[in-house]
Amino acid sequence: MTLVVGFDTATDDVAVALLRFGTGSSSELVAESSTGARGDERPRHAAELLAELEAAVEPVGGWSGVDLLGVGVGPGSFTGLRIGVATARALAQALAMPVVPVATLAALARGIGERTEARGRARLAVLDARRSQAFAALHGPADEELWPPLVAMPGELAERVAALQQPPLAAGSGAIRFRDELEAAGAEVLPDADSAHRVWARQICLLAQAGRPARPETIEPIYLRPPDAELWLERDTR
Amino acid sequence: MILGGRRASGRNLILAIETSCDDTCAAVIDGGRISSNVISSQASVHERYGGVVPEVASRHHLQLVNPVVGAALSEAGVELGDLDALAVTRGPGLVGALLVGVTTAKTLAAATRKPLIGVDHLHGHVAANFLEPEPLEPPFLCLIASGGHTLLAGVVDGGGFEVLGQTLDDAAGEALDKGARLLGLGYPGGPAIERLAVAGDPESVEFPVAMARDPGLDFSFSGLKTALLYAIRKLEEGELTERRADLAASYQAAVVEQLVAKLERALEPGEWVAVALGGGVAANALLRERAGRLCAERGLRLKLVPGELCTDNAAMIASAARFLEPAPYPEYLSWDALA
Ligand SMILES: [Zn+2]
């Protein structure tokens, strides 16, 4: 029996889950929570992540009962990701806990794959990257990664989608935001109210259990975009 | 050690983390003694931008914070489990940078069920004076001048400080950085100006002294910077190279003059037994000399905070933490940065 804690802070949500793996491939969800930002206020990652994690592990006797940690590494909000990765790295440092970094878009795609409509189809995970851009990744019918995480303008993303042989099933905050562009390119976007648009930490647990732990100090957010200052420098020296 | 009636807590072994600006710092202190003080400076990273870029600083803090904490523990020869408490800078500073330290400290403390102490960064600069060797006893006046702050503080006990004066615009070190840029010198500007000023005449160019004559204790440096800009513009072509050293010397003297004038005025009530200089600008030889002369005239002790405790560091944060109430687990779980 293996207890896996997973969490993700790449989006406005603070997603936390505790999954118990039994023999074979069976697993049981012990705890799962996802708190979103309220209204227009800034995301509450700093205030909520650690409290949610402590609440999740309390029923199993605290951290000593936990075998593995999965952390969503983005792409997504830079500040949110740093809070998540710093938390995972500190837990690893304090408790010598193995940590598996999981791409947030892979967790999102795995959730899309649980929809009946997804059978035999590719899953397109899209997050709103602000500045009118999208973070996206494409996974195949067996969850295999077809496009690694990328950042693109909605027009470029639509072109890539239009070039696919089969229309993918899409979800995520970016799929809602760029619904028109994606649907025009042939993708099917799940209805706005579908829970597959959000990142659920049980998917992080499942991918972590199937993945390989990394040395904690090597775990880094998937930023995809350089800091603005780099862009200024490049422009200045051109 | 009793400081103005407020006693340092019985907690001895404290690990502190400081990430408010561009240095990733962790330290362990045992009482007032420094067991380790690790500073990983990003100065060379930010040099190419001519200043600290918040997003760049935050990314580096995240890469460095765990190795720096690990080094602080191993240099001190202790493990997390041995600590009495952890401490962390909660503000003021760059919010994204602070969050890396706050998140790390909170999580390390929660995982080991230790208490956590949140520290104000400026209180840390003040508390650098309480560390061995030769800890300073209040009441004293503390002038902290760096690229990020210019603060004149009255210190009567270990638990805090009274703000007597602060800058209304640029910090003293920032004024030197901006002046250096106008003179075509490198970053950080303070040391560059100081090196050049040695060859110049500090009285050759007149800079406004209005603020130094102002009866309040607040500082203002933006007028000086503008005056330097005009002084440079007035020069004939090719004259700047020739006059650069004089301009640097005069500009540096004007910055130091204002700092010393306010210090002198703050000393007037006569309730202080010592003066402490901290922050990166405290390394400036002219400032040290002028403050030293002032203290000698008044029969006061001048404490020059050692170099590695002058710039941002975590030993000073741990030192301040000794005098503050720790938050027990789980009170601090929802702490945010206080930018
Ligand atoms: Zn400072």
Side-chain angles (χ1 to χ4, degrees), chain A residues 42 46-47 50-51 54 78-79 82-83 85-87 89-91 93-95 220-221 223 225-227 229-230 233, chain B residues 48-49 53 55-56 58-59 62-63 66-67 69-70 80 99 103-104 106-108 110-111 113 329 333-336:
Chain A
R42 74 181 172 107
L50 189 57
E54 290 286 322
F78 293 168
T79 300
R82 274 193 287 272
I83 290 168
V85 171
T87 301
R89 287 173 54 160
L91 285 170
Q93 186 165 31
L95 306 166
E220 285 236 43
Y223 289 112
R225 271 201 299 235
E230 286 291 339
L233 272 192
Chain B
R48 50 195 289 256
Y49 307 109
V53 181
E55 176 62 23
V56 175
S58 301
R59 290 186 183 192
L62 181 63
Q63 288 179 336
N66 303 101
V69 164
L80 275 175
L99 273 172
T103 303
T104 302
K106 269 189 348 180
T107 309
L108 292 173
R113 297 293 190 267
Y329 175 89
L333 294 183
S334 59
W335 278 8
D336 208 326

Side-chain angles (χ1 to χ4, degrees), chain A residues 153-171:
Chain A
M153 299 298 286
E156 300 167 51
L157 181 60
E159 269 175 41
R160 294 190 65 146
V161 169
L164 293 171
Q165 289 184 340
Q166 272 193 334
L169 184 63

